[in-house]
Amino acid sequence: QITLKESGPTLVKPTQTLTLTCTFSGFSLSTSGVGVGWIRQPPGKALEWLALIYWDDDKRYSPSLKSRLTITKDTSKNQVVLTMTNMDPVDTATYYCAHSVYAKFFDYWGQGTLVTVSS
Amino acid sequence: EIVLTQSPATLSLSPGERATLSCRASQSVSSYLAWYQQKPGQAPRLLIYDASNRATGIPARFSGSGSGTDFTLTISSLEPEDFAVYYCQQRSNWPLITFGQGTRLEIK
């Protein structure tokens, strides 16, 4: 059974760096084709893909946010970490991590974590 | 950058009716198109992948079609639990992944 869970701060101040951790079980991020992605959703708005890391440590980012994002993995801990620098109130959103196969689709999702950016 | 445009933005139908949702890509995405359902307060749920394959556990009333730039999600006979927001998602070389802006399916 594949499960994923996001963790991190619920409130960050403008200009701070956000660090989110996705802890997963039921699969290995060293298996060929497997990836873990991050997707966010501002309140009442659409989904936005942020980043994805593949089993071979290849990393892809949304072009519009690439300069602010870093995604890493710790295969031994079954974790993927996303950092986003220079947070702004417009970054207020629910952040999801999700399992992917060759990045074609996301078949398992975490419950999401709401991050509010406010002073 | 590939842009996905979903239409209509809102679809008002009654239970038992047929729903047809559209997703158009700004350039070809081959068959790398997925559909998700999202209910309030929940994470999205994968319905369809590779344009026409139902994900595990998805009822047969959900079907997907299309290739290239034009895709359709059809719900053959709406059940009360089907009223939700639906998103399409593509995977290409660059940017890797994008989502459409969503279609809200509401009860008429």
Side-chain angles (χ1 to χ4, degrees), chain A residues 21-60:
Chain A
T21 300
C22 176
T23 303
F24 57 85
S25 63
F27 67 95
S28 172
L29 198 39
S30 58
T31 300
S32 179
V34 172
V36 172
W38 286 93
I39 303 100
R40 72 178 179 180
Q41 185 173 39
K45 296 189 177 181
L47 301 167
E48 179 184 18
W49 172 69
L50 301 177
L52 185 138
I53 188 164
Y54 286 104
W55 80 100
D56 60 358
D57 210 37
D58 187 12
K59 301 163 187 177
R60 303 296 177 94

Side-chain angles (χ1 to χ4, degrees), chain A residues 39 41 45-49 52 54 60 63 96 102-107 109-111, chain B residues 32 34 36 38 42-44 46 49-50 87 89 91 93-97 99-101:
Chain A
I39 303 100
Q41 185 173 39
K45 296 189 177 181
L47 301 167
E48 179 184 18
W49 172 69
L52 185 138
Y54 286 104
R60 303 296 177 94
Y96 297 98
Y102 288 109
K104 292 196 298 180
F105 49 83
F106 296 104
D107 50 357
W109 294 64
Q111 63 189 24
Chain B
Y32 293 141
Y36 300 85
Q38 188 179 33
Q42 297 184 15
L46 177 67
Y49 66 93
D50 290 350
Y87 294 96
Q89 172 245 312
R91 177 258 194 179
N93 288 331
W94 187 90
L96 185 65
I97 294 163
F99 288 90
Q101 82 280 17

Side-chain angles (χ1 to χ4, degrees), chain B residues 71-87:
Chain B
F71 300 87
T72 301
L73 173 69
T74 301
I75 310 171
S76 59
S77 179
L78 286 165
E79 298 287 341
E81 62 268 27
D82 297 337
F83 292 91
V85 179
Y86 292 83
Y87 294 96

